[in-house]
Amino acid sequence: LLPKDGDEEAWNEIFGNDIKSFRLLREASALNQGYGSAIMEYWNSLLLSGPATQFRNLLGTPLNYSIEAFIERPILAAARVAIGKQSASDTLRAANEWWKGFSLAGAWRHAADSYRQETSTFDRLFKDEDYGGLLENMDGYYSIRGLKGRVIRGLGWGPLRAADQFWKALIGGMEVGRFAYAQARSELGANAKSEDISNRMAEIMADYQSDAWEKASARSDIATFTEKGSETRHQVKQRVKALRNVVPGAKFIIPFIDTPVNIAAQTIERAPVLGAIRYLFKMRDNIKNKRPTFDGLGEAAVKQLVSTAALTALLQSGLLSDDDDKYFAIRSGQHADPLKRY
């Protein structure tokens, strides 16, 4: 993979081509990895290569995001309009800008590029592009060299990463529109012309270091369960990783940490009791930091409302009843006890 010493043109060609650059860095990374790391990479790829795993990953993100985008967010927007916190025209414009960002072609491009390059192409938009940045964005270090390594990763990590980058690019591209609109409105004022707002939005969305893109990227992370999370969540992840490193064989039993912890945290946010306790601590922090007591709790309240309504509907349906076997047997015209049919 390496050109001859002094062949500056060949070196420039390598580092001017993402695929060649990352392939070189992956091979260099694998040189220092032992057999234990290689076995771990085989194991992780084996776990992730199952069709059921890939299918759940592919569907988990859109289901998670759809609840937020099509249920929770409209309820919150309607409430803000009702109490005068936001105008109806601004709400509709933000929703329109959000929908205009829907681009399957752009999302597919990121999915294909991330699979070929074995790196997170959408996430890289918000990080440094120097060679140190390339090392940081390799999504970890690799242990299996050559074609064998690319095939092994292509069966497990490859599709998983491609799906992750597809949804992040799709969601981020939509979210940046509404955040750019809010930023442009804030900068230009309430009396700004629509054309001026559109021009400013174009400038904001062209800058991947803008606040709008930072917020959009954060939203896409939450939707795909890859967010860094709070300091408490970070500490939980670090402690599990530390435990995994000292317990023999734990890496094979607990190969993945970040995503399961993030899924659990988002579940707690929506759990009627646990979520409410968490918001009490949030209110305490607001008071401690001299912010409005209920600052940032509107979205949290909507999540609680939706989850409570869903749980109530499930309980009322009888699906969780102790008598559901009898219930379904009666409904299907059969006796409650199957043995008595004979």
Side-chain angles (χ1 to χ4, degrees):
L1 292 175
L2 294 176
K4 295 180 180 179
D5 291 340
D7 192 346
E8 185 175 346
E9 183 177 349
W11 278 105
N12 289 335
E13 181 182 355
I14 287 179
F15 286 103
N17 183 299
D18 283 342
I19 295 178
K20 291 183 178 180
S21 298
F22 281 102
R23 183 172 296 174
L24 175 62
L25 293 171
R26 282 193 300 273
E27 295 300 314
S29 170
L31 288 174
N32 296 321
Q33 305 300 314
Y35 287 108
S37 298
I39 292 173
M40 193 68 211
E41 188 168 336
Y42 272 115
W43 176 250
N44 287 342
S45 295
L46 177 66
L47 293 177
L48 296 175
S49 64
T53 301
Q54 300 291 344
F55 187 71
R56 290 189 181 97
N57 176 66
L58 192 63
L59 291 184
T61 293
L63 290 174
N64 183 41
Y65 183 65
S66 295
I67 293 173
E68 176 191 345
F70 298 110
I71 299 177
E72 295 173 351
R73 194 177 296 169
I75 293 174
L76 179 60
R80 290 177 65 85
V81 170
I83 63 177
K85 289 284 188 179
Q86 186 173 315
S87 69
S89 60
D90 277 348
T91 301
L92 293 175
R93 175 69 185 272
N96 182 58
E97 297 296 342
W98 169 78
W99 181 249
K100 283 166 61 176
F102 182 84
S103 174
L104 287 175
W108 173 251
R109 185 176 66 253
H110 276 287
D113 288 347
S114 68
Y115 187 86
R116 292 180 63 206
Q117 298 174 23
E118 294 191 76
T119 188
S120 303
T121 55
F122 180 76
D123 292 337
R124 275 178 49 213
L125 294 174
F126 313 101
K127 296 182 180 179
D128 295 334
E129 291 298 326
D130 60 7
Y131 298 148
L134 290 178
L135 283 169
E136 179 186 353
N137 290 314
M138 278 207 308
D139 298 339
Y141 296 98
Y142 299 87
S143 305
I144 306 174
R145 299 176 58 191
L147 178 61
K148 182 190 296 184
R150 293 197 296 274
V151 170
I152 292 297
R153 292 187 293 271
L155 294 175
W157 281 113
L160 199 75
R161 183 190 296 109
D164 179 73
Q165 294 303 290
F166 175 88
W167 290 120
K168 281 191 174 184
L170 186 67
I171 294 169
M174 298 174 72
E175 291 293 322
V176 71
R178 72 186 187 96
F179 286 125
Y181 174 70
Q183 184 177 335
R185 285 282 290 174
S186 176
E187 293 175 357
L188 300 177
N191 298 322
K193 296 180 180 179
S194 179
E195 182 179 356
D196 294 335
I197 292 176
S198 297
N199 291 337
R200 179 57 185 141
M201 285 179 59
E203 295 174 355
I204 292 171
M205 292 194 298
D207 178 13
Y208 288 112
Q209 305 306 315
S210 65
D211 289 341
W213 268 117
E214 182 179 352
K215 293 176 180 178
S217 174
R219 282 290 181 179
S220 69
D221 287 345
I222 292 173
T224 53
F225 306 106
T226 57
E227 73 273 22
K228 293 181 179 179
S230 64
E231 182 62 28
T232 300
R233 197 185 308 181
H234 177 71
Q235 291 178 2
V236 170
K237 294 176 183 178
Q238 293 304 312
R239 288 175 181 175
V240 174
K241 289 178 181 178
L243 177 65
R244 188 181 65 173
N245 290 334
V246 298
V247 177
K251 287 186 177 181
F252 293 92
I253 301 173
I254 315 174
F256 312 111
I257 297 174
D258 290 353
T259 298
V261 170
N262 288 335
I263 292 175
Q266 291 194 34
T267 301
I268 290 174
E269 286 182 355
R270 289 175 167 84
V273 176
L274 295 177
I277 295 174
R278 179 178 179 275
Y279 301 139
L280 289 176
F281 283 102
K282 174 65 175 175
M283 292 168 61
R284 184 199 64 180
D285 291 339
N286 287 339
I287 296 173
K288 181 179 179 180
N289 295 305
K290 298 181 179 180
R291 293 192 297 263
T293 304
F294 298 101
D295 183 45
L297 292 182
E299 183 177 345
V302 171
K303 289 180 179 180
Q304 288 290 298
L305 176 65
V306 171
S307 62
T308 302
L311 181 59
T312 302
L314 184 62
L315 291 172
Q316 291 296 323
S317 70
L319 294 176
L320 300 182
S321 171
D322 291 337
D323 296 328
D324 52 4
D325 287 339
K326 178 180 179 181
Y327 173 75
F328 287 118
I330 293 173
R331 287 294 300 271
S332 62
Q334 299 174 357
H335 197 280
D337 187 353
L339 295 178
K340 292 185 178 180
R341 290 184 299 170
Y342 304 97

